[in-house]
Amino acid sequence: MFARSVFRPAKVAQSHIRRYASTEAGKSGGNGLLFGGIAAAAGVGGYYLMSGDAPAAQKAPQSKDQGGKILESSPSGKAFTGGDQGFISLKLEEVEEINHNTKKFRFSLPDEDAVSGLNVASALITKYKGPEMEKPVIRPYTPISDEGERGYLDLLVKRYPNGPMSEHMHNMNPGQRLDFKGPIPKYAWEENKHNHVALIAGGTGITPMYQVARAIFNNPNDKTSVTLVYGNVSEEDVLLKREFEDLENKYPQRFRAFYLLDNPPKNWPGAKGYISKDLLKTVLPGPKEDNVKVFVCGPPGLYKAISGTKKSPSDQGELAGYLSELGYTKDQVFKF
């Protein structure tokens, strides 16, 4: 049986970042990515069904609904149709409390044999319009579930004060529904595309980093080495730590993780403080090493200090910050 895809193919010295917290105003990468006009640019006007064994760019055969509208479907011929503007409504099945302000939400796909089918790396758009709202709120999120998981997808969502989408989701109960569309393409990953990738994240900027790392280590043919540098305020703010520890234990020669806390507990075994240029110089693969790529994702302050900010979702902007000072080039850095 074919798996059916229902979506398209984070006062100190100046050398430190002040905070890794951010608002849900859509200014940061990952779960806070500015949406702008990316939907049109990325061609996310709908979704289609696709064989789980087919290449990501390969479309399935076409069929038509009763009104004559062309639908793209899996080889099984069964098609799921989206709602308004290509959005599809998914039911919330489970909610798990992760910490004081973060929850994991499991949404069921329209068919128990369906998969999200997202490309790595890419995200989904969520949409919500409350009864008192003039316009719907739209926010992108990177699922933390594997792209090949059948029947569901998981989102890790931090609640931000006055954040309309995160507050709405944190108030949702199982059985309620939320609209999705996607994907938003970010960085097209292929096995062994780089010899070594560095992941620099703050807060909820960890989700696209996990997506990339998971894709690398789930593929036995991919021999890429990975280094993670992840900053947070407190220990309970460190998300997906168990998942990354599992990777580190399983691939000790290829994966290294460095965690930093602004306010660590007394028994904290990791580093204290903020991500600094000296730390990056010490733990990252050097800019002159062969085929290195550095990914950055987090709140605005992290971008400003580490890599410089993006001009827009489709414009990476110039490379600045610590990475530029350390000698990396614009082509070696990608800002989620």
Side-chain angles (χ1 to χ4, degrees):
M1 180 178 289
F2 289 99
R4 294 186 284 275
S5 167
V6 297
F7 294 105
R8 272 186 180 176
K11 183 176 179 180
V12 295
Q14 289 295 321
S15 61
H16 296 105
I17 303 169
R18 288 193 55 81
R19 302 292 294 178
Y20 294 104
S22 67
T23 65
E24 198 202 69
K27 295 182 180 179
S28 65
N31 292 355
L33 179 67
L34 273 171
F35 179 67
I38 194 170
V44 294
Y47 65 93
Y48 64 82
L49 307 173
M50 179 176 70
S51 164
D53 299 323
Q58 179 180 339
K59 293 185 178 181
Q62 291 181 333
S63 60
K64 294 184 178 181
D65 65 10
Q66 295 180 350
K69 178 182 177 182
I70 293 177
L71 303 173
E72 293 167 319
S73 64
S74 68
S76 69
K78 183 176 181 180
F80 300 116
T81 58
D84 176 44
Q85 298 178 359
F87 281 89
I88 182 171
S89 175
L90 300 182
K91 184 173 70 172
L92 178 62
E93 292 290 343
E94 300 176 19
V95 180
E96 178 183 350
E97 187 170 320
I98 302 300
N99 62 24
H100 65 289
N101 62 8
T102 304
K103 293 181 179 181
K104 184 173 78 171
F105 299 86
R106 174 161 293 184
F107 290 89
S108 60
L109 298 174
D111 186 283
E112 64 180 8
D113 193 45
V115 297
S116 72
L118 295 182
N119 301 327
V120 177
S122 63
L124 295 175
I125 303 167
T126 60
K127 183 180 73 170
Y128 163 69
K129 186 177 185 298
E132 306 298 326
M133 300 169 62
E134 293 185 4
K135 297 181 180 180
V137 58
I138 293 176
R139 292 289 185 272
Y141 291 94
T142 303
I144 60 169
S145 48
D146 190 278
E147 293 71 32
E149 291 285 358
R150 296 171 184 260
Y152 70 89
L153 61 85
D154 293 336
L155 298 184
L156 195 62
V157 180
K158 181 177 179 179
R159 184 173 193 163
Y160 294 103
N162 301 315
M165 180 60 77
S166 66
E167 287 196 344
H168 169 67
M169 291 184 67
H170 273 247
N171 289 329
M172 288 181 68
N173 296 310
Q176 294 182 295
R177 307 183 77 89
L178 187 68
D179 288 340
F180 288 83
K181 183 169 70 174
I184 301 175
K186 293 185 177 182
Y187 187 84
W189 181 260
E190 300 172 359
E191 64 182 46
N192 301 307
K193 187 170 186 176
H194 302 291
N195 294 339
H196 197 148
V197 300
L199 314 174
I200 305 174
T204 52
I206 196 65
T207 55
M209 306 305 194
Y210 180 58
Q211 187 185 54
V212 171
R214 187 182 62 237
I216 290 172
F217 292 111
N218 278 353
N219 182 356
N221 296 320
D222 200 327
K223 306 304 180 183
T224 307
S225 296
V226 179
T227 297
L228 170 68
V229 180
Y230 185 25
N232 281 281
V233 176
S234 65
E235 186 172 12
E236 66 177 348
D237 293 314
V238 180
L239 304 175
L240 299 170
K241 191 169 188 291
R242 178 179 59 81
E243 288 81 354
F244 281 111
E245 286 178 340
D246 288 344
L247 291 179
E248 197 165 25
N249 290 332
K250 190 172 182 180
Y251 305 97
Q253 302 303 317
R254 292 174 50 209
F255 181 69
R256 298 184 303 164
F258 300 89
Y259 303 94
L260 299 93
L261 298 182
D262 298 5
N263 303 311
K266 292 182 179 180
N267 61 345
W268 173 246
K272 178 180 179 179
Y274 311 99
I275 298 176
S276 68
K277 184 171 74 171
D278 287 342
L279 173 70
L280 297 181
K281 183 178 181 179
T282 301
V283 303
L284 296 190
K288 296 188 181 301
E289 290 190 25
D290 186 38
N291 198 8
V292 169
K293 194 73 176 185
V294 183
F295 295 98
V296 183
C297 191
L302 184 142
Y303 282 114
K304 184 177 180 179
I306 301 295
S307 62
T309 58
K310 295 187 295 184
K311 287 187 176 181
S312 72
S314 59
D315 187 344
Q316 288 278 299
E318 294 302 316
L319 181 65
Y322 303 153
L323 294 178
S324 176
E325 295 169 11
L326 289 171
Y328 295 90
T329 66
K330 182 177 179 179
D331 290 342
Q332 290 178 303
V333 178
F334 183 84
K335 309 166 191 176
F336 277 105

